Amino acid sequence: MPVARLAFLLGALLLSGPPSYGQGRPTVVDRAPAPIFTSGVDMVTINVAVRDGRGRVVRGLEASDFRLIDSGFGRPIDSVFPSSAALRIAVLVDVSGSMAIDHNIDRAWRAVDAVVDALQPGRDELALFTFDTVLREVVPFTDELARFDDLTEKGTEQPYGKTSLYDAVADTATLVGSFGSSHHALLVMTDGVDTGSRRTPEEVSRVASEVSVPVHLITVGGPLDLRDGAGGAAGADSAAVTATLADLARWTGGTVRATSTGDDVREALAHVLEGLRYQYVVTFKPGFRRGWHPIRIRMSDNDWTVQARSGYVAGRARLNRRRHTLLEEDPCG
Protein backbone atom coordinates (compact mmCIF):
# COMPACT_ATOMS: atom_id res chain seq x y z
CA MET A 1 0.00 0.00 0.00
CA PRO A 2 1.50 3.39 -0.95
CA VAL A 3 2.81 5.54 1.87
CA ALA A 4 0.99 8.60 0.54
CA ARG A 5 -2.42 6.93 0.61
CA LEU A 6 -1.87 5.43 4.05
CA ALA A 7 -0.73 8.78 5.42
CA PHE A 8 -3.78 10.47 3.90
CA LEU A 9 -6.23 8.01 5.47
CA LEU A 10 -4.62 7.90 8.88
CA GLY A 11 -3.97 11.64 8.89
CA ALA A 12 -7.65 12.32 8.22
CA LEU A 13 -8.47 10.38 11.38
CA LEU A 14 -5.70 11.67 13.63
CA LEU A 15 -5.99 15.35 12.77
CA SER A 16 -9.71 15.38 13.37
CA GLY A 17 -9.22 14.01 16.89
CA PRO A 18 -11.02 11.13 18.59
CA PRO A 19 -14.75 10.65 18.04
CA SER A 20 -17.12 12.16 20.58
CA TYR A 21 -18.04 8.95 22.35
CA GLY A 22 -21.58 8.91 23.64
CA GLN A 23 -22.49 12.19 21.92
CA GLY A 24 -23.43 10.81 18.49
CA ARG A 25 -20.84 12.88 16.58
CA PRO A 26 -18.70 10.47 14.53
CA THR A 27 -15.60 11.58 12.64
CA VAL A 28 -15.98 11.90 8.88
CA VAL A 29 -13.30 9.95 6.99
CA ASP A 30 -12.23 11.83 3.85
CA ARG A 31 -11.90 9.79 0.68
CA ALA A 32 -8.41 9.46 -0.79
CA PRO A 33 -7.38 9.50 -4.46
CA ALA A 34 -7.46 6.36 -6.60
CA PRO A 35 -5.17 3.73 -5.09
CA ILE A 36 -1.99 2.30 -6.55
CA PHE A 37 -1.09 -1.18 -5.39
CA THR A 38 2.19 -2.95 -4.75
CA SER A 39 2.82 -6.53 -3.79
CA GLY A 40 5.60 -7.95 -1.67
CA VAL A 41 8.83 -8.28 -3.65
CA ASP A 42 9.94 -11.67 -2.32
CA MET A 43 6.86 -13.39 -0.93
CA VAL A 44 3.07 -13.41 -1.18
CA THR A 45 1.06 -14.28 1.92
CA ILE A 46 -2.51 -15.59 1.73
CA ASN A 47 -4.72 -16.33 4.73
CA VAL A 48 -6.90 -19.37 4.14
CA ALA A 49 -9.88 -20.78 6.04
CA VAL A 50 -10.69 -24.43 5.30
CA ARG A 51 -14.02 -26.13 6.10
CA ASP A 52 -15.28 -29.66 5.65
CA GLY A 53 -18.50 -30.72 3.94
CA ARG A 54 -20.50 -29.91 7.09
CA GLY A 55 -19.11 -26.38 7.40
CA ARG A 56 -16.72 -27.14 10.27
CA VAL A 57 -13.23 -25.62 10.39
CA VAL A 58 -10.58 -28.18 9.40
CA ARG A 59 -7.51 -28.17 11.68
CA GLY A 60 -4.13 -29.83 11.60
CA LEU A 61 -3.46 -29.61 7.85
CA GLU A 62 0.00 -29.65 6.27
CA ALA A 63 1.51 -28.09 3.15
CA SER A 64 0.91 -31.32 1.20
CA ASP A 65 -2.86 -30.76 1.61
CA PHE A 66 -2.72 -27.50 -0.37
CA ARG A 67 -2.24 -26.86 -4.08
CA LEU A 68 -1.85 -23.35 -5.51
CA ILE A 69 -3.06 -22.41 -9.02
CA ASP A 70 -1.64 -19.05 -10.18
CA SER A 71 -3.05 -17.63 -13.43
CA GLY A 72 -4.05 -21.14 -14.49
CA PHE A 73 -0.72 -22.80 -13.67
CA GLY A 74 0.51 -24.65 -10.60
CA ARG A 75 2.94 -22.73 -8.39
CA PRO A 76 5.08 -24.15 -5.57
CA ILE A 77 4.03 -23.29 -2.03
CA ASP A 78 6.90 -22.26 0.25
CA SER A 79 5.17 -22.79 3.59
CA VAL A 80 1.84 -23.44 5.27
CA PHE A 81 1.31 -22.98 8.99
CA PRO A 82 -1.79 -22.72 11.17
CA SER A 83 -2.47 -19.47 12.99
CA SER A 84 -4.91 -18.82 15.83
CA ALA A 85 -4.83 -15.32 17.23
CA ALA A 86 -6.79 -12.34 18.48
CA LEU A 87 -9.20 -10.78 16.01
CA ARG A 88 -9.24 -7.23 14.65
CA ILE A 89 -12.76 -6.59 13.33
CA ALA A 90 -14.16 -3.44 11.75
CA VAL A 91 -17.95 -3.18 11.59
CA LEU A 92 -19.44 -0.94 8.92
CA VAL A 93 -23.12 -0.04 9.43
CA ASP A 94 -25.33 1.24 6.62
CA VAL A 95 -27.28 4.27 7.93
CA SER A 96 -28.65 5.41 4.57
CA GLY A 97 -32.30 6.20 3.93
CA SER A 98 -33.22 2.74 2.67
CA MET A 99 -32.34 1.29 6.08
CA ALA A 100 -35.42 2.98 7.55
CA ILE A 101 -37.60 0.46 5.69
CA ASP A 102 -39.16 -2.20 7.93
CA HIS A 103 -36.86 -1.30 10.88
CA ASN A 104 -33.77 -2.61 9.11
CA ILE A 105 -31.59 -0.08 10.95
CA ASP A 106 -32.72 -1.58 14.28
CA ARG A 107 -31.76 -5.03 13.03
CA ALA A 108 -28.35 -3.69 12.03
CA TRP A 109 -27.66 -2.26 15.49
CA ARG A 110 -28.75 -5.52 17.11
CA ALA A 111 -26.28 -7.27 14.82
CA VAL A 112 -23.53 -4.95 16.10
CA ASP A 113 -24.50 -5.93 19.66
CA ALA A 114 -24.11 -9.57 18.64
CA VAL A 115 -20.61 -8.86 17.30
CA VAL A 116 -19.60 -7.23 20.59
CA ASP A 117 -20.97 -10.19 22.56
CA ALA A 118 -19.10 -12.69 20.36
CA LEU A 119 -15.65 -11.09 20.84
CA GLN A 120 -13.24 -11.46 23.76
CA PRO A 121 -12.73 -8.24 25.79
CA GLY A 122 -9.10 -7.35 26.39
CA ARG A 123 -7.96 -9.57 23.52
CA ASP A 124 -9.97 -8.92 20.36
CA GLU A 125 -10.20 -5.41 18.88
CA LEU A 126 -13.25 -3.80 17.34
CA ALA A 127 -13.86 -0.58 15.42
CA LEU A 128 -17.18 0.92 14.34
CA PHE A 129 -17.86 2.88 11.15
CA THR A 130 -21.10 4.13 9.59
CA PHE A 131 -21.88 5.31 6.09
CA ASP A 132 -24.49 6.84 3.82
CA THR A 133 -23.04 9.25 1.25
CA VAL A 134 -19.94 9.65 3.46
CA LEU A 135 -17.89 7.34 5.66
CA ARG A 136 -17.61 8.08 9.40
CA GLU A 137 -15.47 6.58 12.14
CA VAL A 138 -17.57 6.24 15.30
CA VAL A 139 -15.13 4.32 17.52
CA PRO A 140 -11.51 3.54 16.52
CA PHE A 141 -9.99 0.11 17.12
CA THR A 142 -10.06 -0.82 20.79
CA ASP A 143 -10.14 -3.94 22.96
CA GLU A 144 -12.35 -2.10 25.49
CA LEU A 145 -15.58 -3.54 24.14
CA ALA A 146 -17.72 -1.84 26.79
CA ARG A 147 -17.24 1.38 24.81
CA PHE A 148 -19.78 0.08 22.29
CA ASP A 149 -22.62 -0.55 24.74
CA ASP A 150 -24.32 2.86 24.75
CA LEU A 151 -23.73 3.41 21.06
CA THR A 152 -25.41 0.23 19.94
CA GLU A 153 -28.32 0.63 22.35
CA LYS A 154 -29.42 3.96 20.94
CA GLY A 155 -27.60 4.01 17.60
CA THR A 156 -25.52 6.96 16.46
CA GLU A 157 -27.51 8.26 13.51
CA GLN A 158 -30.92 8.08 11.89
CA PRO A 159 -31.16 6.62 8.37
CA TYR A 160 -30.72 9.37 5.78
CA GLY A 161 -29.34 9.94 2.29
CA LYS A 162 -28.13 7.75 -0.55
CA THR A 163 -26.10 4.58 -0.09
CA SER A 164 -22.46 4.59 -1.20
CA LEU A 165 -22.01 0.93 -0.32
CA TYR A 166 -19.05 0.05 -2.53
CA ASP A 167 -17.23 3.32 -1.82
CA ALA A 168 -17.57 2.77 1.92
CA VAL A 169 -16.43 -0.86 1.72
CA ALA A 170 -13.37 0.07 -0.36
CA ASP A 171 -12.26 2.90 1.91
CA THR A 172 -12.85 1.02 5.16
CA ALA A 173 -11.11 -2.13 3.90
CA THR A 174 -8.10 -0.06 2.86
CA LEU A 175 -7.90 1.53 6.30
CA VAL A 176 -8.29 -1.81 8.12
CA GLY A 177 -5.63 -3.43 5.94
CA SER A 178 -3.13 -0.70 6.79
CA PHE A 179 -2.81 -2.09 10.34
CA GLY A 180 -1.25 -5.32 9.06
CA SER A 181 -3.06 -7.85 11.26
CA SER A 182 -3.58 -11.25 9.65
CA HIS A 183 -6.75 -12.08 11.62
CA HIS A 184 -8.71 -9.05 10.54
CA ALA A 185 -11.95 -8.58 8.63
CA LEU A 186 -14.61 -6.09 7.63
CA LEU A 187 -18.20 -6.91 8.61
CA VAL A 188 -20.81 -4.88 6.71
CA MET A 189 -24.36 -4.54 8.06
CA THR A 190 -26.57 -3.40 5.18
CA ASP A 191 -29.83 -4.01 3.34
CA GLY A 192 -27.78 -4.55 0.18
CA VAL A 193 -29.09 -1.54 -1.76
CA ASP A 194 -26.51 0.76 -3.37
CA THR A 195 -27.68 4.05 -4.88
CA GLY A 196 -24.75 6.45 -4.68
CA SER A 197 -21.36 4.81 -5.25
CA ARG A 198 -18.73 6.23 -7.57
CA ARG A 199 -16.87 2.92 -7.85
CA THR A 200 -17.95 -0.32 -9.49
CA PRO A 201 -18.13 -3.58 -7.52
CA GLU A 202 -15.15 -4.84 -9.52
CA GLU A 203 -12.99 -1.92 -8.42
CA VAL A 204 -13.98 -2.26 -4.79
CA SER A 205 -13.29 -5.99 -4.72
CA ARG A 206 -9.82 -5.37 -6.11
CA VAL A 207 -9.13 -2.74 -3.45
CA ALA A 208 -10.24 -5.05 -0.66
CA SER A 209 -8.33 -8.00 -2.07
CA GLU A 210 -5.11 -6.05 -2.36
CA VAL A 211 -5.13 -5.12 1.32
CA SER A 212 -5.91 -8.75 2.23
CA VAL A 213 -9.08 -7.91 4.17
CA PRO A 214 -11.97 -10.38 3.81
CA VAL A 215 -15.29 -8.57 3.49
CA HIS A 216 -18.26 -10.33 5.07
CA LEU A 217 -21.64 -8.84 4.17
CA ILE A 218 -24.52 -9.50 6.56
CA THR A 219 -27.70 -8.27 4.92
CA VAL A 220 -30.52 -7.38 7.31
CA GLY A 221 -34.19 -7.45 6.41
CA GLY A 222 -37.60 -8.81 7.30
CA PRO A 223 -38.53 -12.45 6.66
CA LEU A 224 -40.07 -11.58 3.29
CA ASP A 225 -36.76 -10.11 2.09
CA LEU A 226 -35.20 -13.57 2.26
CA ARG A 227 -37.33 -14.68 -0.67
CA ASP A 228 -34.83 -13.02 -2.99
CA GLY A 229 -31.72 -14.43 -1.32
CA ALA A 230 -28.86 -12.42 0.12
CA GLY A 231 -29.89 -9.14 -1.43
CA GLY A 232 -31.66 -7.58 1.51
CA ALA A 233 -34.45 -5.16 0.67
CA ALA A 234 -33.43 -4.94 -2.97
CA GLY A 235 -36.87 -5.17 -4.51
CA ALA A 236 -37.12 -5.90 -8.22
CA ASP A 237 -33.36 -5.54 -8.74
CA SER A 238 -32.44 -8.00 -6.00
CA ALA A 239 -31.00 -10.63 -8.36
CA ALA A 240 -28.45 -8.18 -9.80
CA VAL A 241 -27.58 -6.75 -6.39
CA THR A 242 -27.16 -10.22 -4.90
CA ALA A 243 -24.76 -11.22 -7.66
CA THR A 244 -22.59 -8.17 -7.10
CA LEU A 245 -22.48 -8.54 -3.34
CA ALA A 246 -21.66 -12.23 -3.62
CA ASP A 247 -18.87 -11.48 -6.10
CA LEU A 248 -17.41 -8.78 -3.86
CA ALA A 249 -17.34 -11.13 -0.88
CA ARG A 250 -15.93 -14.04 -2.86
CA TRP A 251 -13.11 -11.96 -4.40
CA THR A 252 -11.99 -10.88 -0.93
CA GLY A 253 -12.32 -14.30 0.72
CA GLY A 254 -15.47 -13.27 2.58
CA THR A 255 -19.11 -14.36 2.60
CA VAL A 256 -22.64 -13.02 2.15
CA ARG A 257 -25.30 -14.03 4.68
CA ALA A 258 -28.94 -12.95 4.61
CA THR A 259 -30.51 -12.50 8.05
CA SER A 260 -33.90 -11.49 9.41
CA THR A 261 -33.79 -12.62 13.06
CA GLY A 262 -31.39 -12.53 15.97
CA ASP A 263 -30.77 -16.25 15.58
CA ASP A 264 -29.84 -15.72 11.92
CA VAL A 265 -27.31 -13.05 12.89
CA ARG A 266 -25.74 -15.09 15.68
CA GLU A 267 -25.42 -18.12 13.41
CA ALA A 268 -23.81 -16.03 10.66
CA LEU A 269 -21.36 -14.41 13.09
CA ALA A 270 -20.39 -17.71 14.69
CA HIS A 271 -19.57 -19.08 11.23
CA VAL A 272 -17.54 -16.00 10.22
CA LEU A 273 -15.60 -15.55 13.46
CA GLU A 274 -14.64 -19.23 13.77
CA GLY A 275 -13.10 -19.13 10.30
CA LEU A 276 -11.27 -15.89 11.08
CA ARG A 277 -9.80 -17.06 14.36
CA TYR A 278 -8.29 -20.28 12.98
CA GLN A 279 -6.63 -19.87 9.59
CA TYR A 280 -3.74 -21.22 7.57
CA VAL A 281 -1.06 -18.81 6.37
CA VAL A 282 0.13 -19.84 2.89
CA THR A 283 3.28 -18.24 1.48
CA PHE A 284 4.73 -18.45 -2.03
CA LYS A 285 6.96 -16.51 -4.39
CA PRO A 286 5.10 -14.16 -6.77
CA GLY A 287 5.03 -14.76 -10.51
CA PHE A 288 7.31 -12.85 -12.86
CA ARG A 289 4.49 -11.30 -14.88
CA ARG A 290 3.60 -7.87 -13.60
CA GLY A 291 0.02 -6.98 -12.74
CA TRP A 292 -2.96 -8.91 -11.43
CA HIS A 293 -2.58 -12.66 -10.81
CA PRO A 294 -5.82 -14.61 -10.19
CA ILE A 295 -5.23 -17.53 -7.85
CA ARG A 296 -7.11 -20.59 -6.61
CA ILE A 297 -6.25 -22.88 -3.73
CA ARG A 298 -7.29 -26.51 -4.08
CA MET A 299 -7.28 -29.08 -1.30
CA SER A 300 -6.32 -32.74 -1.12
CA ASP A 301 -9.89 -33.56 -0.10
CA ASN A 302 -12.49 -32.45 -2.65
CA ASP A 303 -15.12 -32.12 0.07
CA TRP A 304 -13.18 -29.33 1.75
CA THR A 305 -13.98 -25.72 0.83
CA VAL A 306 -11.60 -22.79 0.93
CA GLN A 307 -12.07 -19.11 1.74
CA ALA A 308 -9.21 -16.90 0.56
CA ARG A 309 -8.70 -13.79 -1.51
CA SER A 310 -8.80 -14.33 -5.24
CA GLY A 311 -5.46 -12.90 -6.35
CA TYR A 312 -2.46 -10.64 -5.83
CA VAL A 313 -0.48 -8.00 -7.72
CA ALA A 314 3.09 -8.60 -8.84
CA GLY A 315 5.12 -5.42 -9.28
CA ARG A 316 3.33 -2.09 -9.40
CA ALA A 317 -0.15 -1.75 -10.86
CA ARG A 318 -2.91 0.81 -11.05
CA LEU A 319 -6.68 0.71 -11.35
CA ASN A 320 -8.08 1.82 -14.69
CA ARG A 321 -11.44 3.22 -13.60
CA ARG A 322 -12.73 3.56 -17.16
CA ARG A 323 -12.20 -0.10 -18.08
CA HIS A 324 -12.63 -1.46 -14.53
CA THR A 325 -9.53 -3.62 -14.84
CA LEU A 326 -6.20 -3.76 -13.08
CA LEU A 327 -3.37 -2.80 -15.45
CA GLU A 328 0.39 -2.66 -15.30
CA GLU A 329 1.70 0.77 -14.49
CA ASP A 330 3.25 2.55 -17.47
CA PRO A 331 7.02 2.49 -16.77
CA CYS A 332 7.36 5.72 -18.74
CA GLY A 333 4.60 7.50 -16.87
Side-chain angles (χ1 to χ4, degrees), residues 1-16:
M1 179 179 180
V3 174
R5 176 169 172 80
L6 175 57
F8 186 97
L9 282 169
L10 296 181
L13 299 179
L14 295 175
L15 292 176
S16 58

mmCIF file with all atom_site columns, all heavy atoms in Angstrom, residues 1-16:
data_model
loop_
_atom_site.group_PDB
_atom_site.id
_atom_site.type_symbol
_atom_site.label_atom_id
_atom_site.label_alt_id
_atom_site.label_comp_id
_atom_site.label_asym_id
_atom_site.label_entity_id
_atom_site.label_seq_id
_atom_site.pdbx_PDB_ins_code
_atom_site.Cartn_x
_atom_site.Cartn_y
_atom_site.Cartn_z
_atom_site.occupancy
_atom_site.B_iso_or_equiv
_atom_site.pdbx_formal_charge
_atom_site.auth_seq_id
_atom_site.auth_comp_id
_atom_site.auth_asym_id
_atom_site.auth_atom_id
_atom_site.pdbx_PDB_model_num
ATOM 1   N N   . MET A 1 1  ? 0.844   -1.192 0.000  1.00 0.00 ? 1  MET A N   1
ATOM 2   C CA  . MET A 1 1  ? 0.000   0.000  0.000  1.00 0.00 ? 1  MET A CA  1
ATOM 3   C C   . MET A 1 1  ? 0.877   1.239  0.000  1.00 0.00 ? 1  MET A C   1
ATOM 4   O O   . MET A 1 1  ? 1.804   1.339  0.800  1.00 0.00 ? 1  MET A O   1
ATOM 5   C CB  . MET A 1 1  ? -0.891  -0.005 1.237  1.00 0.00 ? 1  MET A CB  1
ATOM 6   C CG  . MET A 1 1  ? -1.780  1.208  1.326  1.00 0.00 ? 1  MET A CG  1
ATOM 7   S SD  . MET A 1 1  ? -2.824  1.134  2.807  1.00 0.00 ? 1  MET A SD  1
ATOM 8   C CE  . MET A 1 1  ? -3.703  2.656  2.605  1.00 0.00 ? 1  MET A CE  1
ATOM 9   N N   . PRO A 1 2  ? 0.654   2.227  -0.873 1.00 0.00 ? 2  PRO A N   1
ATOM 10  C CA  . PRO A 1 2  ? 1.505   3.393  -0.950 1.00 0.00 ? 2  PRO A CA  1
ATOM 11  C C   . PRO A 1 2  ? 1.507   4.178  0.345  1.00 0.00 ? 2  PRO A C   1
ATOM 12  O O   . PRO A 1 2  ? 0.500   4.310  1.032  1.00 0.00 ? 2  PRO A O   1
ATOM 13  C CB  . PRO A 1 2  ? 0.886   4.213  -2.096 1.00 0.00 ? 2  PRO A CB  1
ATOM 14  C CG  . PRO A 1 2  ? 0.018   3.271  -2.825 1.00 0.00 ? 2  PRO A CG  1
ATOM 15  C CD  . PRO A 1 2  ? -0.431  2.258  -1.840 1.00 0.00 ? 2  PRO A CD  1
ATOM 16  N N   . VAL A 1 3  ? 2.680   4.746  0.641  1.00 0.00 ? 3  VAL A N   1
ATOM 17  C CA  . VAL A 1 3  ? 2.805   5.535  1.870  1.00 0.00 ? 3  VAL A CA  1
ATOM 18  C C   . VAL A 1 3  ? 1.913   6.755  1.829  1.00 0.00 ? 3  VAL A C   1
ATOM 19  O O   . VAL A 1 3  ? 1.295   7.141  2.822  1.00 0.00 ? 3  VAL A O   1
ATOM 20  C CB  . VAL A 1 3  ? 4.283   5.949  2.067  1.00 0.00 ? 3  VAL A CB  1
ATOM 21  C CG1 . VAL A 1 3  ? 4.421   6.890  3.241  1.00 0.00 ? 3  VAL A CG1 1
ATOM 22  C CG2 . VAL A 1 3  ? 5.145   4.719  2.248  1.00 0.00 ? 3  VAL A CG2 1
ATOM 23  N N   . ALA A 1 4  ? 1.794   7.377  0.643  1.00 0.00 ? 4  ALA A N   1
ATOM 24  C CA  . ALA A 1 4  ? 0.991   8.596  0.545  1.00 0.00 ? 4  ALA A CA  1
ATOM 25  C C   . ALA A 1 4  ? -0.463  8.337  0.870  1.00 0.00 ? 4  ALA A C   1
ATOM 26  O O   . ALA A 1 4  ? -1.107  9.102  1.588  1.00 0.00 ? 4  ALA A O   1
ATOM 27  C CB  . ALA A 1 4  ? 1.116   9.192  -0.864 1.00 0.00 ? 4  ALA A CB  1
ATOM 28  N N   . ARG A 1 5  ? -1.012  7.221  0.343  1.00 0.00 ? 5  ARG A N   1
ATOM 29  C CA  . ARG A 1 5  ? -2.423  6.928  0.612  1.00 0.00 ? 5  ARG A CA  1
ATOM 30  C C   . ARG A 1 5  ? -2.646  6.599  2.073  1.00 0.00 ? 5  ARG A C   1
ATOM 31  O O   . ARG A 1 5  ? -3.598  7.044  2.697  1.00 0.00 ? 5  ARG A O   1
ATOM 32  C CB  . ARG A 1 5  ? -2.895  5.766  -0.265 1.00 0.00 ? 5  ARG A CB  1
ATOM 33  C CG  . ARG A 1 5  ? -4.333  5.358  0.032  1.00 0.00 ? 5  ARG A CG  1
ATOM 34  C CD  . ARG A 1 5  ? -4.881  4.400  -0.993 1.00 0.00 ? 5  ARG A CD  1
ATOM 35  N NE  . ARG A 1 5  ? -6.175  3.878  -0.589 1.00 0.00 ? 5  ARG A NE  1
ATOM 36  C CZ  . ARG A 1 5  ? -7.318  4.534  -0.729 1.00 0.00 ? 5  ARG A CZ  1
ATOM 37  N NH1 . ARG A 1 5  ? -7.319  5.745  -1.240 1.00 0.00 ? 5  ARG A NH1 1
ATOM 38  N NH2 . ARG A 1 5  ? -8.456  3.970  -0.359 1.00 0.00 ? 5  ARG A NH2 1
ATOM 39  N N   . LEU A 1 6  ? -1.731  5.795  2.645  1.00 0.00 ? 6  LEU A N   1
ATOM 40  C CA  . LEU A 1 6  ? -1.867  5.431  4.049  1.00 0.00 ? 6  LEU A CA  1
ATOM 41  C C   . LEU A 1 6  ? -1.792  6.669  4.924  1.00 0.00 ? 6  LEU A C   1
ATOM 42  O O   . LEU A 1 6  ? -2.580  6.846  5.855  1.00 0.00 ? 6  LEU A O   1
ATOM 43  C CB  . LEU A 1 6  ? -0.765  4.440  4.430  1.00 0.00 ? 6  LEU A CB  1
ATOM 44  C CG  . LEU A 1 6  ? -0.686  4.052  5.906  1.00 0.00 ? 6  LEU A CG  1
ATOM 45  C CD1 . LEU A 1 6  ? -2.013  3.461  6.360  1.00 0.00 ? 6  LEU A CD1 1
ATOM 46  C CD2 . LEU A 1 6  ? 0.438   3.061  6.128  1.00 0.00 ? 6  LEU A CD2 1
ATOM 47  N N   . ALA A 1 7  ? -0.853  7.557  4.618  1.00 0.00 ? 7  ALA A N   1
ATOM 48  C CA  . ALA A 1 7  ? -0.727  8.776  5.418  1.00 0.00 ? 7  ALA A CA  1
ATOM 49  C C   . ALA A 1 7  ? -1.983  9.630  5.310  1.00 0.00 ? 7  ALA A C   1
ATOM 50  O O   . ALA A 1 7  ? -2.434  10.230 6.283  1.00 0.00 ? 7  ALA A O   1
ATOM 51  C CB  . ALA A 1 7  ? 0.494   9.578  4.954  1.00 0.00 ? 7  ALA A CB  1
ATOM 52  N N   . PHE A 1 8  ? -2.561  9.674  4.100  1.00 0.00 ? 8  PHE A N   1
ATOM 53  C CA  . PHE A 1 8  ? -3.784  10.473 3.901  1.00 0.00 ? 8  PHE A CA  1
ATOM 54  C C   . PHE A 1 8  ? -4.918  9.938  4.768  1.00 0.00 ? 8  PHE A C   1
ATOM 55  O O   . PHE A 1 8  ? -5.600  10.686 5.460  1.00 0.00 ? 8  PHE A O   1
ATOM 56  C CB  . PHE A 1 8  ? -4.171  10.439 2.429  1.00 0.00 ? 8  PHE A CB  1
ATOM 57  C CG  . PHE A 1 8  ? -5.333  11.350 2.083  1.00 0.00 ? 8  PHE A CG  1
ATOM 58  C CD1 . PHE A 1 8  ? -5.104  12.612 1.573  1.00 0.00 ? 8  PHE A CD1 1
ATOM 59  C CD2 . PHE A 1 8  ? -6.646  10.944 2.278  1.00 0.00 ? 8  PHE A CD2 1
ATOM 60  C CE1 . PHE A 1 8  ? -6.163  13.444 1.258  1.00 0.00 ? 8  PHE A CE1 1
ATOM 61  C CE2 . PHE A 1 8  ? -7.699  11.770 1.969  1.00 0.00 ? 8  PHE A CE2 1
ATOM 62  C CZ  . PHE A 1 8  ? -7.443  13.030 1.452  1.00 0.00 ? 8  PHE A CZ  1
ATOM 63  N N   . LEU A 1 9  ? -5.130  8.614  4.713  1.00 0.00 ? 9  LEU A N   1
ATOM 64  C CA  . LEU A 1 9  ? -6.234  8.011  5.465  1.00 0.00 ? 9  LEU A CA  1
ATOM 65  C C   . LEU A 1 9  ? -6.049  8.158  6.959  1.00 0.00 ? 9  LEU A C   1
ATOM 66  O O   . LEU A 1 9  ? -6.950  8.584  7.685  1.00 0.00 ? 9  LEU A O   1
ATOM 67  C CB  . LEU A 1 9  ? -6.354  6.535  5.098  1.00 0.00 ? 9  LEU A CB  1
ATOM 68  C CG  . LEU A 1 9  ? -7.040  6.221  3.770  1.00 0.00 ? 9  LEU A CG  1
ATOM 69  C CD1 . LEU A 1 9  ? -6.835  4.752  3.427  1.00 0.00 ? 9  LEU A CD1 1
ATOM 70  C CD2 . LEU A 1 9  ? -8.515  6.548  3.841  1.00 0.00 ? 9  LEU A CD2 1
ATOM 71  N N   . LEU A 1 10 ? -4.847  7.814  7.442  1.00 0.00 ? 10 LEU A N   1
ATOM 72  C CA  . LEU A 1 10 ? -4.616  7.897  8.883  1.00 0.00 ? 10 LEU A CA  1
ATOM 73  C C   . LEU A 1 10 ? -4.584  9.348  9.348  1.00 0.00 ? 10 LEU A C   1
ATOM 74  O O   . LEU A 1 10 ? -5.055  9.688  10.435 1.00 0.00 ? 10 LEU A O   1
ATOM 75  C CB  . LEU A 1 10 ? -3.300  7.198  9.236  1.00 0.00 ? 10 LEU A CB  1
ATOM 76  C CG  . LEU A 1 10 ? -3.271  5.695  8.958  1.00 0.00 ? 10 LEU A CG  1
ATOM 77  C CD1 . LEU A 1 10 ? -1.924  5.107  9.361  1.00 0.00 ? 10 LEU A CD1 1
ATOM 78  C CD2 . LEU A 1 10 ? -4.393  4.983  9.688  1.00 0.00 ? 10 LEU A CD2 1
ATOM 79  N N   . GLY A 1 11 ? -4.013  10.226 8.520  1.00 0.00 ? 11 GLY A N   1
ATOM 80  C CA  . GLY A 1 11 ? -3.971  11.635 8.893  1.00 0.00 ? 11 GLY A CA  1
ATOM 81  C C   . GLY A 1 11 ? -5.356  12.230 9.026  1.00 0.00 ? 11 GLY A C   1
ATOM 82  O O   . GLY A 1 11 ? -5.623  13.050 9.912  1.00 0.00 ? 11 GLY A O   1
ATOM 83  N N   . ALA A 1 12 ? -6.276  11.816 8.148  1.00 0.00 ? 12 ALA A N   1
ATOM 84  C CA  . ALA A 1 12 ? -7.651  12.322 8.221  1.00 0.00 ? 12 ALA A CA  1
ATOM 85  C C   . ALA A 1 12 ? -8.292  11.965 9.554  1.00 0.00 ? 12 ALA A C   1
ATOM 86  O O   . ALA A 1 12 ? -9.101  12.711 10.099 1.00 0.00 ? 12 ALA A O   1
ATOM 87  C CB  . ALA A 1 12 ? -8.488  11.749 7.082  1.00 0.00 ? 12 ALA A CB  1
ATOM 88  N N   . LEU A 1 13 ? -7.917  10.798 10.095 1.00 0.00 ? 13 LEU A N   1
ATOM 89  C CA  . LEU A 1 13 ? -8.472  10.377 11.379 1.00 0.00 ? 13 LEU A CA  1
ATOM 90  C C   . LEU A 1 13 ? -7.792  11.088 12.537 1.00 0.00 ? 13 LEU A C   1
ATOM 91  O O   . LEU A 1 13 ? -8.425  11.584 13.461 1.00 0.00 ? 13 LEU A O   1
ATOM 92  C CB  . LEU A 1 13 ? -8.325  8.863  11.550 1.00 0.00 ? 13 LEU A CB  1
ATOM 93  C CG  . LEU A 1 13 ? -9.054  8.007  10.509 1.00 0.00 ? 13 LEU A CG  1
ATOM 94  C CD1 . LEU A 1 13 ? -8.799  6.529  10.802 1.00 0.00 ? 13 LEU A CD1 1
ATOM 95  C CD2 . LEU A 1 13 ? -10.538 8.286  10.539 1.00 0.00 ? 13 LEU A CD2 1
ATOM 96  N N   . LEU A 1 14 ? -6.443  11.140 12.489 1.00 0.00 ? 14 LEU A N   1
ATOM 97  C CA  . LEU A 1 14 ? -5.702  11.674 13.632 1.00 0.00 ? 14 LEU A CA  1
ATOM 98  C C   . LEU A 1 14 ? -5.890  13.174 13.791 1.00 0.00 ? 14 LEU A C   1
ATOM 99  O O   . LEU A 1 14 ? -6.046  13.691 14.896 1.00 0.00 ? 14 LEU A O   1
ATOM 100 C CB  . LEU A 1 14 ? -4.217  11.349 13.468 1.00 0.00 ? 14 LEU A CB  1
ATOM 101 C CG  . LEU A 1 14 ? -3.869  9.847  13.517 1.00 0.00 ? 14 LEU A CG  1
ATOM 102 C CD1 . LEU A 1 14 ? -2.387  9.642  13.209 1.00 0.00 ? 14 LEU A CD1 1
ATOM 103 C CD2 . LEU A 1 14 ? -4.217  9.257  14.867 1.00 0.00 ? 14 LEU A CD2 1
ATOM 104 N N   . LEU A 1 15 ? -5.869  13.904 12.676 1.00 0.00 ? 15 LEU A N   1
ATOM 105 C CA  . LEU A 1 15 ? -5.985  15.353 12.766 1.00 0.00 ? 15 LEU A CA  1
ATOM 106 C C   . LEU A 1 15 ? -7.354  15.792 13.238 1.00 0.00 ? 15 LEU A C   1
ATOM 107 O O   . LEU A 1 15 ? -7.506  16.841 13.858 1.00 0.00 ? 15 LEU A O   1
ATOM 108 C CB  . LEU A 1 15 ? -5.689  15.982 11.397 1.00 0.00 ? 15 LEU A CB  1
ATOM 109 C CG  . LEU A 1 15 ? -4.228  15.857 10.921 1.00 0.00 ? 15 LEU A CG  1
ATOM 110 C CD1 . LEU A 1 15 ? -4.083  16.436 9.526  1.00 0.00 ? 15 LEU A CD1 1
ATOM 111 C CD2 . LEU A 1 15 ? -3.287  16.561 11.898 1.00 0.00 ? 15 LEU A CD2 1
ATOM 112 N N   . SER A 1 16 ? -8.360  14.996 12.966 1.00 0.00 ? 16 SER A N   1
ATOM 113 C CA  . SER A 1 16 ? -9.710  15.376 13.372 1.00 0.00 ? 16 SER A CA  1
ATOM 114 C C   . SER A 1 16 ? -9.975  15.060 14.835 1.00 0.00 ? 16 SER A C   1
ATOM 115 O O   . SER A 1 16 ? -10.996 15.443 15.373 1.00 0.00 ? 16 SER A O   1
ATOM 116 C CB  . SER A 1 16 ? -10.741 14.657 12.499 1.00 0.00 ? 16 SER A CB  1
ATOM 117 O OG  . SER A 1 16 ? -10.578 13.269 12.605 1.00 0.00 ? 16 SER A OG  1
#
